[in-house]
Amino acid sequence: MSDTPFGFGLPPEEPDHGDEGKKKDQQSGGGQGPANPFGFGLPGAGGLGGPGGPGADNPFAAMFGSMNPTDLGAAFQQLGQMLSYEGGPVNWDMAKQIARQTVSQGTPDGTKDASVGPAERNAVQEAVRLADLWLDDATALPSGAGTAVAWSRAEWVEATLPAWRELVDPVAERVGTAMGDVLPEEMQAMAGPLIGMMRSMGGAMFGTQIGQAVGVLAGEVVGSTDVGLPLGPAGRAALLPVNVEAFGKDLGVPQEEVRLYLALREAAHQRLFAHVPWLRSHLFGAVEGYARGIKVDTAKLEDVVGQFDPQNPEQLQEALQQGMFQPEDSPEQKAALARLETALALVEGWVDAVVHAAAKPRLSSADALRETLRRRRATGGPAEQTFATLIGLELRPRRLRDASRLWASLTDARGVDGRDGLWAHPDMLPTADDLADADGFVHREQLDFSELDKMLGEAAGKHAPKPDLKKDEKDQDEADGKDDDTE
């Protein structure tokens, strides 16, 4: 995955604007953004026009440089939105705007976004349908894809922003709170307007970072589950045809096989998230639990606040870039990190093992595609890098290969039903230690739940009130007597 910089630019052009959109992009100085990772133009980092160009030393040049008078009004409007924002910890309107603008610029290889045509949509639907048929032989979990959709990059941005919001808001909230807490109480009332401005700027900074990360990631993902989390709507298997084509371009594999293999992965993720109801909240809860253990470097933040100049908002951006977050070296924090990394590895390892079992007998390129995706997933990308900068957390399964071997061994030892039955409850899943000792976990004595049910039934019977047989006989005799009288 590429290491594309995170820029700050103008409102987006829609992907289907064609030549008109390209002309506007050229007039407004559109490109791949500045060369520093967060785009407000740090000294010496270069700007939109390259080293020494607009934005190299001026934090607002990325917005105002190299544009015609028509676009200047839009830039001032964007600046006003940044300074007047009074919403939550992240300016998500700005994040969406910047993500769409980043998508419209295209990827470094020159690939532009485009609306999905009927032929591409039908190809994706057919690939997902066939993938689900193949997966029926490889897993006990039924299909989880109610619909199959083909998205443009811009559509992927729209569909996944709610999930990014759920992931990022708790972290950004800590920054906003810390900005007020670093001032003495007697100064907080006097500095109210300044704190409000800083929080507005902080929301804009986070919006810029996340918007750029999501926009760049939209140029690389092939579906809705690439980062191991369910980012799209439930039950909707999605592929991005333009990215699927780019992914398979230099692999020497027929495009139909590439599409089908990626459809297998997307459909397998959908089965897991659809039929393991606790899994989504478990993953997102693990992210939030880890984030709660992150502490803000108050010394660095106090220094930023003490020297804050409203005319130089890039100071806050530099502080975020350098990292104001430090993981607490506590047992709780280490346990939270282990839970998250293990959960991500188990999800990705299960998908890897199941897809390989379904594809190996049917696709000659299964091994090559599997290894390519493993390496791609292990190296991470812009979203992981941004999230790591924000809270020191990388959303990638470090022990993917260990987890995949464990699931494959479980299939051999217990069968498909025994393997997939472990998803019934989080306490039944392998732990981090089990990934290191796969054989020990696989051959460990399994719990016999039928015996447990029998024990629970017997215990319930002991505590149930015993029937009064004599009373029952008396009641029956009286009932019989009444019947005789009636006759």
Side-chain angles (χ1 to χ4, degrees), residues 136-487:
D136 285 339
D137 297 331
T139 174
L141 300 179
S143 174
T147 57
V149 295
W151 284 340
S152 67
R153 293 167 179 170
E155 289 173 326
W156 183 89
V157 168
E158 296 279 353
T160 61
L161 272 180
W164 290 113
R165 183 169 191 162
E166 188 175 348
L167 285 168
V168 174
D169 267 352
V171 183
E173 183 66 41
R174 295 179 63 82
V175 179
T177 301
M179 285 181 177
D181 292 344
V182 296
L183 291 178
E185 292 185 10
E186 60 273 13
M187 294 182 60
Q188 290 185 16
M190 299 174 60
L194 175 61
I195 294 175
M197 180 181 294
M198 291 179 63
R199 286 179 175 172
S200 295
M201 292 298 299
M205 303 302 181
F206 270 100
T208 301
Q209 291 177 319
I210 298 304
Q212 283 290 339
V214 172
V216 172
L217 192 60
E220 299 180 350
V221 295
V222 295
S224 69
T225 55
D226 282 33
V227 299
L229 298 173
L231 298 178
R236 189 172 299 176
L239 292 180
L240 283 71
V242 64
N243 291 354
V244 171
E245 182 179 358
F247 172 80
K249 184 177 180 181
D250 299 321
L251 296 181
V253 177
Q255 190 68 22
E256 293 76 14
E257 288 197 20
V258 173
R259 184 190 303 113
L260 185 51
Y261 194 88
L262 297 177
L264 281 166
R265 287 183 54 83
E266 179 73 9
H269 276 103
Q270 294 295 333
R271 288 186 180 223
L272 194 58
F273 291 123
H275 299 292
V276 183
W278 53 265
L279 183 57
R280 186 185 189 279
S281 59
H282 179 74
L283 288 169
F284 279 69
V287 173
E288 186 175 354
Y290 180 80
R292 281 197 301 267
I294 297 292
K295 61 182 180 181
V296 178
D297 187 344
T298 54
K300 182 180 294 185
L301 188 56
E302 285 175 359
D303 184 62
V304 173
V305 173
Q307 301 179 18
F308 179 70
D309 181 356
Q311 295 183 0
N312 293 292
E314 75 275 11
Q315 289 177 346
L316 288 178
Q317 193 76 10
E318 290 180 18
L320 288 176
Q321 180 188 357
Q322 295 169 5
M324 289 192 300
F325 302 95
Q326 298 174 342
E328 289 184 352
D329 189 18
S330 65
E332 294 79 11
Q333 182 68 354
K334 291 179 180 178
L337 179 59
R339 283 195 301 271
L340 177 59
E341 290 184 341
T342 302
L344 288 171
L346 290 175
V347 168
E348 291 296 284
W350 183 88
V351 169
D352 181 77
V354 167
V355 168
H356 185 69
K360 178 68 172 175
R362 300 176 173 95
L363 297 178
S364 59
S365 58
D367 289 331
L369 289 170
R370 182 190 201 187
E371 186 60 28
T372 299
L373 282 160
R374 279 181 167 185
R375 293 180 180 179
R376 184 178 190 259
R377 188 71 182 91
T379 56
E384 292 94 328
Q385 293 162 11
T386 296
F387 213 63
T389 301
L390 293 175
I391 65 169
L393 175 64
E394 295 177 339
L395 291 173
R396 53 185 165 187
R398 297 183 181 277
R399 307 185 68 179
L400 167 60
R401 294 177 187 271
D402 291 339
S404 182
R405 283 194 293 269
L406 187 147
W407 288 118
S409 298
L410 282 169
T411 307
D412 294 337
R414 306 185 187 182
V416 169
D417 291 340
R419 177 200 66 197
D420 293 347
L422 293 178
W423 291 105
H425 192 277
D427 290 344
M428 297 175 62
L429 289 177
T431 64
D433 292 337
D434 294 326
L435 291 180
D437 182 21
D439 290 339
F441 179 83
V442 169
H443 299 293
R444 188 179 304 161
E445 183 178 356
Q446 303 179 51
L447 292 175
D448 189 341
F449 286 98
S450 62
E451 289 297 322
L452 180 61
D453 290 339
K454 181 179 178 181
M455 292 171 60
L456 292 175
E458 291 176 352
K462 292 179 180 179
H463 292 88
K466 295 183 179 180
D468 190 341
L469 299 180
K470 293 183 178 180
K471 183 177 184 300
D472 290 344
E473 292 176 358
K474 181 179 179 181
D475 292 342
Q476 185 61 45
D477 290 341
E478 291 179 354
D480 293 341
K482 289 182 180 180
D483 291 340
D484 293 341
D485 292 343
T486 302
E487 292 176 357

Side-chain angles (χ1 to χ4, degrees), residues 2-227:
S2 63
D3 185 14
T4 309
F6 301 166
F8 189 102
L10 298 175
E13 297 291 348
E14 296 297 330
D16 55 352
H17 280 189
D19 293 337
E20 181 182 355
K22 294 179 182 178
K23 291 177 182 178
K24 289 184 178 180
D25 188 60
Q26 292 169 358
Q27 292 171 351
S28 61
Q32 286 305 314
N36 68 77
F38 300 114
F40 269 87
L42 302 179
L48 291 175
D57 299 301
N58 184 345
F60 297 108
M63 261 189 289
F64 302 141
S66 303
M67 66 176 63
N68 58 40
T70 303
D71 294 325
L72 190 59
F76 274 115
Q77 181 181 8
Q78 191 176 55
L79 177 61
Q81 292 174 353
M82 181 174 67
L83 295 175
S84 63
Y85 177 70
E86 296 180 353
V90 177
N91 189 332
W92 286 104
D93 290 336
M94 179 170 287
K96 176 180 175 180
Q97 185 181 34
I98 292 176
R100 293 293 297 264
Q101 189 266 340
T102 303
V103 164
S104 72
Q105 293 174 348
T107 53
D109 63 1
T111 304
K112 292 284 188 177
D113 194 18
S115 299
V116 179
E120 293 172 320
R121 188 174 294 107
N122 290 337
V124 167
Q125 291 173 348
E126 180 64 21
V128 173
R129 184 193 66 79
L130 184 57
D132 256 338
L133 288 176
W134 290 3
L135 287 172
D136 285 339
D137 297 331
T139 174
L141 300 179
S143 174
T147 57
V149 295
W151 284 340
S152 67
R153 293 167 179 170
E155 289 173 326
W156 183 89
V157 168
E158 296 279 353
T160 61
L161 272 180
W164 290 113
R165 183 169 191 162
E166 188 175 348
L167 285 168
V168 174
D169 267 352
V171 183
E173 183 66 41
R174 295 179 63 82
V175 179
T177 301
M179 285 181 177
D181 292 344
V182 296
L183 291 178
E185 292 185 10
E186 60 273 13
M187 294 182 60
Q188 290 185 16
M190 299 174 60
L194 175 61
I195 294 175
M197 180 181 294
M198 291 179 63
R199 286 179 175 172
S200 295
M201 292 298 299
M205 303 302 181
F206 270 100
T208 301
Q209 291 177 319
I210 298 304
Q212 283 290 339
V214 172
V216 172
L217 192 60
E220 299 180 350
V221 295
V222 295
S224 69
T225 55
D226 282 33
V227 299

